[in-house]
Coordinates of all heavy atoms in Angstrom, one line a residue:
E1 N 0.9 -1.2 0.0 CA 0.0 0.0 0.0 C 0.9 1.2 0.0 O 1.8 1.3 0.8 CB -0.9 0.0 1.2 CG -2.3 0.5 1.1 CD -2.4 2.0 1.0 OE1 -1.7 2.7 1.7 OE2 -3.1 2.5 0.2
E2 N 0.6 2.2 -0.8 CA 1.4 3.4 -1.0 C 1.6 4.2 0.2 O 2.6 4.8 0.5 CB 0.8 4.2 -2.2 CG 1.6 5.4 -2.5 CD 0.9 6.2 -3.6 OE1 0.0 5.7 -4.3 OE2 1.4 7.3 -3.9
Y3 N 0.5 4.3 1.0 CA 0.6 5.2 2.2 C 0.8 4.5 3.5 O 0.7 5.1 4.6 CB -0.7 6.0 2.3 CG -0.9 6.9 1.1 CD1 -1.8 6.5 0.1 CD2 -0.2 8.0 0.9 CE1 -2.0 7.3 -1.0 CE2 -0.4 8.8 -0.2 CZ -1.3 8.4 -1.2 OH -1.5 9.2 -2.3
G4 N 1.1 3.2 3.5 CA 1.4 2.4 4.7 C 0.2 1.8 5.4 O 0.3 1.2 6.4
A5 N -1.0 2.1 4.8 CA -2.2 1.5 5.4 C -2.2 0.0 5.1 O -1.7 -0.5 4.2 CB -3.4 2.1 4.9
Q6 N -2.8 -0.8 6.0 CA -3.0 -2.2 5.9 C -4.5 -2.5 5.8 O -5.2 -2.4 6.8 CB -2.4 -2.9 7.1 CG -0.9 -2.6 7.2 CD -0.4 -3.0 8.6 OE1 -1.1 -3.4 9.5 NE2 0.9 -2.9 8.8
P7 N -5.0 -2.7 4.6 CA -6.5 -2.8 4.4 C -7.2 -3.7 5.4 O -8.2 -3.3 5.9 CB -6.6 -3.3 3.0 CG -5.4 -2.8 2.3 CD -4.3 -2.9 3.3
P8 N -6.7 -5.0 5.7 CA -7.4 -5.8 6.7 C -7.5 -5.1 8.1 O -8.5 -5.2 8.8 CB -6.6 -7.1 6.8 CG -5.9 -7.1 5.5 CD -5.6 -5.7 5.1
V9 N -6.4 -4.5 8.5 CA -6.3 -3.8 9.8 C -7.3 -2.6 9.7 O -7.9 -2.3 10.7 CB -4.9 -3.4 10.1 CG1 -4.8 -2.6 11.4 CG2 -4.0 -4.7 10.3
E10 N -7.3 -1.9 8.6 CA -8.2 -0.7 8.5 C -9.7 -1.1 8.6 O -10.5 -0.4 9.2 CB -8.0 0.0 7.2 CG -6.7 0.8 7.2 CD -6.6 1.8 8.3 OE1 -7.5 2.6 8.5 OE2 -5.5 1.8 9.0
L11 N -10.0 -2.3 8.1 CA -11.4 -2.8 8.3 C -11.7 -3.1 9.8 O -12.8 -2.7 10.3 CB -11.7 -4.1 7.5 CG -11.9 -3.9 6.0 CD1 -12.0 -5.2 5.3 CD2 -13.2 -3.1 5.7
L12 N -10.7 -3.7 10.5 CA -10.9 -3.9 11.9 C -11.0 -2.6 12.7 O -11.8 -2.4 13.6 CB -9.8 -4.7 12.5 CG -9.8 -6.2 12.0 CD1 -8.5 -6.9 12.4 CD2 -11.0 -6.9 12.5
R13 N -10.2 -1.6 12.2 CA -10.3 -0.3 12.9 C -11.6 0.4 12.6 O -12.2 1.0 13.5 CB -9.1 0.6 12.3 CG -9.1 2.0 13.1 CD -8.2 3.0 12.4 NE -8.7 3.2 11.0 CZ -9.7 4.0 10.7 NH1 -10.5 4.6 11.6 NH2 -10.0 4.1 9.4
Q14 N -12.1 0.3 11.4 CA -13.5 0.8 11.1 C -14.5 0.2 12.0 O -15.4 0.8 12.5 CB -13.8 0.6 9.6 CG -15.1 1.2 9.3 CD -15.5 0.9 7.8 OE1 -15.0 0.0 7.2 NE2 -16.3 1.8 7.3
F15 N -14.4 -1.1 12.2 CA -15.4 -1.8 13.1 C -15.3 -1.2 14.5 O -16.3 -1.0 15.1 CB -15.1 -3.3 13.1 CG -15.7 -4.0 14.2 CD1 -17.1 -4.2 14.3 CD2 -14.9 -4.5 15.3 CE1 -17.7 -4.8 15.4 CE2 -15.5 -5.1 16.4 CZ -16.9 -5.3 16.4
Q16 N -14.0 -1.0 15.0 CA -13.8 -0.5 16.3 C -14.4 0.9 16.4 O -14.9 1.3 17.5 CB -12.4 -0.5 16.7 CG -11.8 -1.9 17.0 CD -12.4 -2.5 18.3 OE1 -13.4 -3.2 18.2 NE2 -11.8 -2.2 19.4
D17 N -14.2 1.7 15.4 CA -14.6 3.1 15.5 C -16.1 3.3 15.3 O -16.7 4.1 16.0 CB -13.9 3.9 14.3 CG -12.5 4.3 14.7 OD1 -12.1 4.3 15.8 OD2 -11.7 4.6 13.7
F18 N -16.7 2.5 14.4 CA -18.1 2.8 14.0 C -19.0 1.6 14.2 O -20.2 1.7 13.9 CB -18.1 3.2 12.5 CG -17.3 4.3 12.1 CD1 -16.1 4.2 11.4 CD2 -17.6 5.6 12.6 CE1 -15.3 5.3 11.1 CE2 -16.8 6.7 12.3 CZ -15.7 6.5 11.5
R19 N -18.5 0.5 14.8 CA -19.3 -0.7 15.1 C -20.1 -1.2 13.8 O -21.2 -1.6 13.9 CB -20.3 -0.4 16.2 CG -19.7 -0.1 17.5 CD -19.1 -1.3 18.0 NE -18.4 -1.0 19.3 CZ -17.4 -1.6 19.7 NH1 -16.8 -2.5 19.0 NH2 -16.8 -1.3 20.9
G20 N -19.4 -1.2 12.7 CA -20.0 -1.8 11.5 C -19.1 -1.6 10.3 O -18.0 -1.1 10.4
F21 N -19.6 -2.0 9.1 CA -18.9 -1.9 7.9 C -19.9 -1.4 6.8 O -21.1 -1.6 6.9 CB -18.4 -3.3 7.4 CG -17.5 -3.9 8.4 CD1 -18.0 -4.9 9.2 CD2 -16.2 -3.5 8.5 CE1 -17.1 -5.5 10.1 CE2 -15.3 -4.1 9.4 CZ -15.8 -5.1 10.2
Y22 N -19.4 -0.7 5.8 CA -20.1 -0.3 4.6 C -20.0 -1.4 3.6 O -18.9 -1.8 3.2 CB -19.6 1.0 4.1 CG -20.5 1.6 3.0 CD1 -21.7 2.1 3.3 CD2 -20.1 1.6 1.7 CE1 -22.5 2.6 2.3 CE2 -20.9 2.1 0.7 CZ -22.1 2.6 1.0 OH -22.9 3.1 0.0
D23 N -21.1 -1.9 3.1 CA -21.2 -2.9 2.0 C -21.1 -2.2 0.7 O -22.1 -1.5 0.3 CB -22.4 -3.7 2.2 CG -22.5 -4.9 1.2 OD1 -21.8 -4.8 0.2 OD2 -23.2 -5.9 1.5
R24 N -20.0 -2.2 0.0 CA -19.9 -1.5 -1.2 C -20.6 -2.2 -2.4 O -21.0 -1.6 -3.4 CB -18.4 -1.4 -1.6 CG -17.7 -0.5 -0.6 CD -16.2 -0.4 -0.8 NE -15.8 -0.4 -2.3 CZ -14.6 -0.4 -2.7 NH1 -13.6 -0.4 -1.8 NH2 -14.3 -0.3 -4.0
K25 N -20.9 -3.5 -2.2 CA -21.7 -4.2 -3.3 C -23.1 -3.8 -3.3 O -23.7 -3.5 -4.3 CB -21.5 -5.7 -3.1 CG -22.2 -6.5 -4.2 CD -21.9 -8.0 -4.0 CE -22.6 -8.8 -5.1 NZ -22.3 -10.2 -4.9
H26 N -23.7 -3.8 -2.1 CA -25.2 -3.5 -2.0 C -25.4 -2.0 -1.5 O -26.6 -1.6 -1.3 CB -25.9 -4.5 -1.0 CG -25.8 -5.9 -1.5 ND1 -24.9 -6.8 -1.0 CD2 -26.4 -6.5 -2.5 CE1 -25.1 -7.9 -1.6 NE2 -26.0 -7.8 -2.5
L27 N -24.4 -1.3 -1.3 CA -24.4 0.1 -0.9 C -25.3 0.5 0.3 O -26.2 1.3 0.3 CB -24.9 1.0 -2.1 CG -24.1 0.8 -3.4 CD1 -24.7 1.6 -4.5 CD2 -22.7 1.2 -3.2
Y28 N -25.0 -0.2 1.4 CA -25.6 0.1 2.7 C -24.7 -0.2 3.9 O -23.7 -0.9 3.7 CB -27.0 -0.6 2.8 CG -26.9 -2.1 3.1 CD1 -27.0 -2.6 4.4 CD2 -26.8 -3.0 2.1 CE1 -26.9 -3.9 4.7 CE2 -26.7 -4.3 2.3 CZ -26.8 -4.8 3.6 OH -26.7 -6.1 3.8
W29 N -25.0 0.3 5.0 CA -24.2 0.2 6.2 C -24.7 -1.1 7.0 O -25.9 -1.3 7.2 CB -24.4 1.4 7.1 CG -23.5 1.3 8.4 CD1 -23.9 0.9 9.6 CD2 -22.1 1.5 8.4 NE1 -22.9 0.9 10.5 CE2 -21.8 1.3 9.8 CE3 -21.2 1.9 7.5 CZ2 -20.4 1.4 10.2 CZ3 -19.9 2.0 8.0 CH2 -19.5 1.8 9.3
K30 N -23.7 -1.9 7.4 CA -24.0 -3.1 8.2 C -23.6 -2.9 9.6 O -22.4 -2.8 9.9 CB -23.2 -4.3 7.6 CG -23.7 -4.8 6.2 CD -22.9 -6.0 5.8 CE -23.3 -6.5 4.5 NZ -22.7 -7.7 4.0
D31 N -24.5 -2.9 10.5 CA -24.2 -2.7 11.9 C -23.8 -4.1 12.5 O -24.4 -5.1 12.2 CB -25.4 -2.2 12.7 CG -25.6 -0.7 12.5 OD1 -24.7 0.0 12.5 OD2 -26.8 -0.4 12.3
I32 N -22.7 -4.1 13.3 CA -22.3 -5.3 14.0 C -22.5 -5.0 15.5 O -22.1 -4.1 16.1 CB -20.8 -5.5 13.8 CG1 -20.4 -5.5 12.3 CG2 -20.3 -6.8 14.4 CD1 -20.9 -6.6 11.5
E33 N -23.2 -6.0 16.1 CA -23.6 -5.8 17.6 C -23.1 -7.0 18.4 O -22.9 -8.1 17.9 CB -25.1 -5.7 17.7 CG -25.7 -4.6 17.0 CD -27.2 -4.5 17.1 OE1 -27.8 -5.5 17.7 OE2 -27.9 -3.6 16.7
D34 N -22.9 -6.7 19.7 CA -22.5 -7.7 20.7 C -21.3 -8.5 20.2 O -21.2 -9.7 20.2 CB -23.7 -8.7 20.9 CG -24.9 -8.0 21.5 OD1 -24.7 -7.0 22.3 OD2 -26.0 -8.4 21.2
T35 N -20.2 -7.7 19.9 CA -19.0 -8.4 19.4 C -17.8 -7.7 20.1 O -17.8 -6.5 20.3 CB -18.8 -8.2 17.9 OG1 -19.9 -8.7 17.2 CG2 -17.6 -8.9 17.4
T36 N -16.9 -8.5 20.6 CA -15.7 -8.1 21.2 C -14.5 -8.5 20.4 O -14.4 -9.6 19.9 CB -15.5 -8.7 22.6 OG1 -16.7 -8.3 23.4 CG2 -14.3 -8.2 23.3
L37 N -13.5 -7.6 20.2 CA -12.3 -7.9 19.5 C -11.2 -8.0 20.4 O -10.9 -7.1 21.2 CB -12.1 -6.7 18.5 CG -10.9 -6.9 17.5 CD1 -11.2 -8.1 16.6 CD2 -10.8 -5.6 16.7
L38 N -10.5 -9.2 20.3 CA -9.3 -9.5 21.2 C -8.2 -9.7 20.2 O -8.3 -10.5 19.3 CB -9.6 -10.7 22.0 CG -8.5 -11.2 22.9 CD1 -8.2 -10.2 24.0 CD2 -8.8 -12.6 23.4
A39 N -7.0 -9.2 20.5 CA -5.9 -9.3 19.6 C -4.6 -9.6 20.4 O -4.5 -9.2 21.6 CB -5.7 -8.1 18.8
A40 N -3.7 -10.3 19.8 CA -2.4 -10.5 20.4 C -1.3 -10.2 19.3 O -1.6 -10.5 18.1 CB -2.2 -11.9 20.9
C41 N -0.2 -9.7 19.6 CA 0.8 -9.4 18.6 C 2.2 -9.5 19.2 O 2.4 -9.6 20.4 CB 0.6 -8.0 18.0 SG 0.8 -6.7 19.2
A42 N 3.2 -9.6 18.3 CA 4.6 -9.6 18.7 C 5.3 -8.5 18.0 O 4.7 -7.9 17.1 CB 5.1 -11.0 18.3
P43 N 6.5 -8.2 18.4 CA 7.3 -7.2 17.7 C 7.4 -7.4 16.2 O 7.4 -8.6 15.7 CB 8.6 -7.2 18.3 CG 8.4 -7.9 19.6 CD 7.3 -8.8 19.4
P44 N 7.4 -6.4 15.4 CA 7.6 -6.5 13.9 C 8.8 -7.3 13.5 O 9.8 -7.2 14.2 CB 7.7 -5.1 13.4 CG 7.1 -4.2 14.5 CD 7.4 -5.0 15.7
G45 N 8.8 -8.0 12.5 CA 9.9 -8.8 12.0 C 9.5 -10.2 11.8 O 8.5 -10.7 12.4
G46 N 10.2 -10.9 10.9 CA 9.9 -12.3 10.6 C 8.5 -12.5 10.0 O 7.9 -13.5 10.3
G47 N 8.1 -11.6 9.1 CA 6.8 -11.7 8.5 C 5.7 -10.9 9.2 O 4.6 -10.8 8.7
R48 N 6.0 -10.4 10.4 CA 5.0 -9.6 11.1 C 5.2 -8.1 10.7 O 6.4 -7.6 10.7 CB 5.1 -9.8 12.6 CG 4.8 -11.2 13.0 CD 4.9 -11.3 14.5 NE 6.2 -11.0 15.0 CZ 7.2 -12.0 15.2 NH1 6.9 -13.2 14.9 NH2 8.4 -11.6 15.6
N49 N 4.2 -7.4 10.4 CA 4.2 -6.0 10.1 C 4.0 -5.1 11.3 O 3.3 -5.6 12.2 CB 3.2 -5.6 9.0 CG 3.6 -6.3 7.7 OD1 4.7 -6.5 7.4 ND2 2.5 -6.7 7.0
E50 N 4.4 -3.9 11.3 CA 4.1 -3.0 12.3 C 2.6 -2.6 12.2 O 2.1 -2.4 11.1 CB 5.0 -1.7 12.2 CG 4.9 -0.8 13.3 CD 6.0 0.3 13.3 OE1 7.0 0.1 12.6 OE2 5.7 1.4 13.8
V51 N 2.0 -2.4 13.4 CA 0.6 -2.1 13.4 C 0.5 -0.6 13.7 O 1.2 0.0 14.5 CB -0.2 -2.9 14.5 CG1 -1.6 -2.5 14.5 CG2 0.0 -4.4 14.3
T52 N -0.5 0.1 13.1 CA -0.6 1.5 13.2 C -1.1 2.0 14.5 O -1.9 1.3 15.1 CB -1.5 2.1 12.1 OG1 -2.8 1.6 12.3 CG2 -1.0 1.7 10.7
P53 N -0.7 3.2 15.0 CA -1.2 3.7 16.2 C -2.7 3.9 16.2 O -3.4 3.9 17.2 CB -0.5 5.0 16.4 CG 0.8 4.9 15.6 CD 0.4 4.0 14.5
R54 N -3.3 4.2 15.0 CA -4.7 4.4 14.8 C -5.5 3.2 15.2 O -6.6 3.3 15.7 CB -5.0 4.7 13.3 CG -4.6 6.0 12.9 CD -5.0 6.2 11.4 NE -6.4 6.4 11.2 CZ -7.0 6.4 10.0 NH1 -6.2 6.2 8.9 NH2 -8.3 6.5 9.9
F55 N -4.9 2.0 15.0 CA -5.5 0.8 15.4 C -5.2 0.4 16.9 O -6.1 0.0 17.6 CB -5.1 -0.4 14.5 CG -5.8 -1.7 14.8 CD1 -7.2 -1.8 14.7 CD2 -5.1 -2.8 15.0 CE1 -7.8 -2.9 14.9 CE2 -5.8 -4.0 15.3 CZ -7.1 -4.1 15.2
F56 N -4.0 0.6 17.3 CA -3.6 0.3 18.7 C -4.3 1.1 19.7 O -4.5 0.7 20.9 CB -2.1 0.6 18.9 CG -1.2 -0.6 18.7 CD1 0.1 -0.5 18.2 CD2 -1.7 -1.9 19.0 CE1 0.9 -1.6 18.0 CE2 -0.9 -3.0 18.8 CZ 0.4 -2.8 18.3
R57 N -4.8 2.3 19.4 CA -5.5 3.2 20.4 C -6.8 2.5 20.9 O -7.3 3.0 22.0 CB -5.8 4.5 19.8 CG -6.9 4.5 18.7 CD -7.0 5.9 18.1 NE -7.9 5.8 16.9 CZ -9.1 6.3 16.9 NH1 -9.6 6.8 17.9 NH2 -9.8 6.2 15.8
H58 N -7.3 1.5 20.3 CA -8.5 0.9 20.7 C -8.3 -0.2 21.8 O -9.2 -0.8 22.3 CB -9.2 0.2 19.6 CG -9.7 1.2 18.6 ND1 -10.8 2.0 18.8 CD2 -9.3 1.5 17.3 CE1 -11.0 2.8 17.8 NE2 -10.1 2.5 16.9
F59 N -7.0 -0.5 22.1 CA -6.7 -1.6 23.0 C -5.9 -1.2 24.2 O -5.2 -0.2 24.2 CB -5.8 -2.6 22.2 CG -6.5 -3.3 21.0 CD1 -6.3 -2.7 19.8 CD2 -7.3 -4.3 21.2 CE1 -7.0 -3.3 18.7 CE2 -8.0 -4.9 20.1 CZ -7.8 -4.4 18.9
N60 N -6.1 -2.0 25.3 CA -5.2 -1.9 26.5 C -4.1 -2.9 26.2 O -4.3 -4.0 25.8 CB -6.0 -2.2 27.7 CG -7.1 -1.2 28.0 OD1 -6.9 -0.1 27.9 ND2 -8.2 -1.7 28.4
M61 N -2.9 -2.4 26.5 CA -1.7 -3.3 26.2 C -1.0 -3.7 27.5 O -1.0 -2.8 28.5 CB -0.7 -2.6 25.3 CG -1.2 -2.5 23.9 SD 0.0 -1.9 22.8 CE -0.4 -0.1 22.8
F62 N -0.5 -4.9 27.6 CA 0.3 -5.3 28.7 C 1.3 -6.3 28.2 O 1.2 -6.9 27.1 CB -0.5 -5.9 29.9 CG -1.3 -7.2 29.5 CD1 -0.7 -8.4 29.8 CD2 -2.5 -7.1 28.9 CE1 -1.4 -9.6 29.5 CE2 -3.2 -8.3 28.6 CZ -2.6 -9.5 28.9
Y63 N 2.4 -6.4 28.9 CA 3.6 -7.1 28.5 C 3.8 -8.3 29.5 O 3.7 -8.1 30.7 CB 4.8 -6.2 28.5 CG 6.1 -7.0 28.3 CD1 6.4 -7.4 27.0 CD2 7.0 -7.3 29.3 CE1 7.6 -8.0 26.7 CE2 8.1 -8.0 29.0 CZ 8.4 -8.4 27.7 OH 9.6 -9.0 27.4
L64 N 4.0 -9.5 29.0 CA 4.3 -10.6 29.8 C 5.8 -11.0 29.6 O 6.3 -11.1 28.5 CB 3.4 -11.8 29.4 CG 1.9 -11.7 29.5 CD1 1.2 -12.9 29.0 CD2 1.6 -11.5 31.0
M65 N 6.4 -11.2 30.7 CA 7.8 -11.6 30.7 C 7.9 -13.1 30.1 O 7.0 -13.9 30.4 CB 8.5 -11.6 32.1 CG 8.5 -10.2 32.7 SD 9.7 -9.1 31.9 CE 11.2 -9.9 32.2
P66 N 8.9 -13.4 29.3 CA 9.1 -14.7 28.8 C 9.3 -15.7 30.0 O 10.0 -15.3 31.0 CB 10.3 -14.7 27.9 CG 10.6 -13.3 27.7 CD 9.9 -12.5 28.8
P67 N 8.7 -16.9 30.0 CA 8.9 -17.8 31.1 C 10.4 -18.4 31.1 O 11.0 -18.4 30.1 CB 7.9 -19.0 30.8 CG 7.6 -18.8 29.4 CD 7.8 -17.4 29.0
S68 N 10.8 -18.7 32.3 CA 12.2 -19.3 32.5 C 12.2 -20.7 31.9 O 11.2 -21.3 31.6 CB 12.6 -19.3 33.9 OG 11.8 -20.2 34.6
E69 N 13.4 -21.2 31.7 CA 13.6 -22.6 31.2 C 12.9 -23.6 32.1 O 12.3 -24.5 31.7 CB 15.0 -22.9 31.0 CG 15.2 -24.2 30.3 CD 16.7 -24.5 30.1 OE1 17.5 -23.6 30.0 OE2 17.0 -25.7 29.9
M70 N 13.0 -23.4 33.4 CA 12.5 -24.3 34.4 C 10.9 -24.3 34.3 O 10.3 -25.4 34.3 CB 12.9 -23.9 35.8 CG 12.4 -24.8 36.9 SD 13.0 -24.4 38.5 CE 11.7 -23.2 39.0
V71 N 10.3 -23.2 34.1 CA 8.9 -23.1 34.0 C 8.5 -23.8 32.7 O 7.5 -24.5 32.6 CB 8.4 -21.6 34.0 CG1 6.9 -21.5 33.6 CG2 8.6 -21.0 35.4
M72 N 9.2 -23.6 31.6 CA 8.9 -24.2 30.3 C 9.0 -25.7 30.4 O 8.1 -26.5 29.9 CB 9.8 -23.7 29.2 CG 9.5 -22.3 28.8 SD 7.8 -22.0 28.2 CE 7.9 -22.9 26.7
R73 N 10.0 -26.2 31.1 CA 10.1 -27.7 31.3 C 9.0 -28.2 32.1 O 8.4 -29.3 31.8 CB 11.4 -28.0 32.0 CG 12.7 -27.8 31.2 CD 13.9 -28.2 31.9 NE 15.1 -27.9 31.2 CZ 15.6 -28.8 30.3 NH1 15.1 -29.9 30.1 NH2 16.7 -28.4 29.6
H74 N 8.5 -27.5 33.1 CA 7.4 -27.9 33.9 C 6.1 -28.0 33.1 O 5.3 -29.0 33.1 CB 7.2 -27.0 35.1 CG 6.1 -27.4 36.0 ND1 6.1 -28.5 36.8 CD2 4.8 -26.8 36.2 CE1 4.9 -28.6 37.5 NE2 4.2 -27.6 37.1
I75 N 5.9 -27.0 32.3 CA 4.7 -26.9 31.4 C 4.7 -28.1 30.4 O 3.8 -28.8 30.2 CB 4.5 -25.6 30.7 CG1 4.3 -24.5 31.7 CG2 3.5 -25.6 29.6 CD1 4.3 -23.1 31.1
F76 N 5.9 -28.2 29.8 CA 6.0 -29.3 28.7 C 5.8 -30.7 29.4 O 5.2 -31.5 28.8 CB 7.4 -29.2 28.1 CG 7.6 -30.2 27.0 CD1 7.0 -30.0 25.8 CD2 8.4 -31.3 27.2 CE1 7.2 -31.0 24.8 CE2 8.6 -32.2 26.2 CZ 8.0 -32.1 25.0
S77 N 6.4 -30.9 30.5 CA 6.3 -32.2 31.2 C 4.9 -32.5 31.6 O 4.4 -33.6 31.5 CB 7.3 -32.4 32.3 OG 6.9 -31.5 33.4
A78 N 4.1 -31.5 32.0 CA 2.7 -31.6 32.4 C 1.9 -32.0 31.2 O 1.0 -32.9 31.2 CB 2.2 -30.4 33.1
V79 N 2.1 -31.3 30.0 CA 1.4 -31.6 28.8 C 1.7 -33.0 28.3 O 0.8 -33.8 28.0 CB 1.7 -30.5 27.8 CG1 1.1 -30.9 26.4 CG2 1.1 -29.2 28.2
V80 N 3.0 -33.3 28.2 CA 3.4 -34.6 27.7 C 3.0 -35.7 28.6 O 2.5 -36.8 28.2 CB 4.9 -34.7 27.4 CG1 5.4 -36.1 27.1 CG2 5.2 -33.7 26.3
G81 N 3.1 -35.5 29.9 CA 2.7 -36.5 30.9 C 1.2 -36.8 30.8 O 0.8 -37.9 31.1
G82 N 0.4 -35.8 30.5 CA -1.0 -36.1 30.3 C -1.3 -37.0 29.2 O -2.3 -37.8 29.2
F83 N -0.5 -37.0 28.2 CA -0.7 -37.9 27.0 C -0.1 -39.3 27.3 O -0.6 -40.3 26.7 CB -0.1 -37.4 25.8 CG -0.8 -36.2 25.2 CD1 -0.3 -34.9 25.3 CD2 -2.0 -36.4 24.5 CE1 -1.0 -33.9 24.7 CE2 -2.7 -35.3 24.0 CZ -2.2 -34.0 24.1
L84 N 0.8 -39.4 28.1 CA 1.5 -40.7 28.4 C 0.9 -41.5 29.5 O 1.3 -42.7 29.7 CB 3.0 -40.5 28.6 CG 3.8 -39.8 27.5 CD1 5.2 -39.6 27.9 CD2 3.7 -40.6 26.2
T85 N 0.0 -40.9 30.3 CA -0.6 -41.7 31.4 C -2.0 -42.2 31.0 O -2.6 -41.8 30.1 CB -0.7 -40.8 32.6 OG1 -1.4 -39.6 32.4 CG2 0.7 -40.5 33.2

């Protein structure tokens, strides 16, 4: 996109801003009700694009520290142990 917009993200932003979409085929507004948008993302790179501040402003953000190796071993052993017993 020439101006840096990401069309799928802009549709989601339009939903967040206006609670609906404009149907260009039938030329009318479609209201979306009783819907919650939940998103997760990682830093840009490796095929992930940067997300615009216009879209981020709709979300509360928090950061989770990566788990330690000991915690990962415990989680993995619990998952694998469930399949082996």
Side-chain angles (χ1 to χ4, degrees):
E1 217 284 320
E2 182 179 348
Y3 299 103
Q6 300 164 354
V9 174
E10 288 301 313
L11 282 174
L12 292 172
R13 185 194 57 77
Q14 182 182 26
F15 163 71
Q16 288 291 93
D17 282 341
F18 303 109
R19 295 289 180 215
F21 301 103
Y22 186 73
D23 186 336
R24 292 174 43 180
K25 184 176 181 181
H26 298 104
L27 303 176
Y28 73 95
W29 183 258
K30 293 182 177 184
D31 286 315
I32 309 290
E33 297 179 357
D34 299 326
T35 304
T36 302
L37 186 62
L38 175 71
C41 64
R48 293 180 301 267
N49 295 324
E50 189 170 334
V51 181
T52 65
R54 287 178 73 187
F55 186 57
F56 267 148
R57 71 187 168 105
H58 295 288
F59 297 96
N60 294 317
M61 289 186 264
F62 63 96
Y63 175 77
L64 297 175
M65 297 292 294
S68 67
E69 184 177 341
M70 185 177 85
V71 170
M72 289 301 291
R73 286 181 187 273
H74 180 73
I75 293 170
F76 182 74
S77 65
V79 170
V80 172
F83 286 108
L84 298 178
T85 57

